[in-house]
Amino acid sequence: MLTLTANAAQAIRDLTATAPEPAQSGIRISSEGEGASALTLSLATAPEPADAVVESDGARVYLDPVAATVLDDKSLDAGADDQGSVSFLVTEQGM
């Protein structure tokens, strides 16, 4: 199952703090196009019916079935640049 670093959990909590339903809001990672050639990340107020839900330290990530398979052994990290823009990075677990 996808894991979240402390940085990723904090970034997700920051992004969803002003959402209409912060108690259920998170980010959703979904596949785009044929197969798993591209994954997209968006804010979501709740999971879709088939989504896997990853929760860590108050942060929620919703994964569509393809994304859940692709990211099963991965970790999600986050960082911010000098302007405060957040970027997410997928790494191998344990790195």
Side-chain angles (χ1 to χ4, degrees):
M1 179 65 74
L2 178 72
T3 61
L4 305 179
T5 66
N7 288 341
Q10 183 63 54
I12 293 166
R13 286 194 308 271
D14 290 348
L15 287 170
T16 59
T18 59
E21 294 289 334
Q24 292 297 316
S25 294
I27 61 169
R28 183 166 193 267
I29 302 175
S30 56
S31 58
E32 188 173 273
E34 295 295 318
S37 59
L39 297 175
T40 60
L41 185 145
S42 59
L43 290 174
T45 55
E48 297 292 323
D51 284 353
V53 179
V54 176
E55 290 192 61
S56 177
D57 199 21
R60 283 165 299 287
V61 178
Y62 306 127
L63 303 167
D64 80 359
V66 173
T69 299
V70 171
L71 300 174
D72 185 53
D73 60 346
K74 304 291 190 268
S75 183
L76 186 66
D77 195 7
D81 63 18
D82 293 337
Q83 289 76 40
S85 295
V86 175
S87 60
F88 289 95
L89 174 70
V90 175
T91 62
E92 296 294 325
Q93 286 183 5
M95 292 188 73

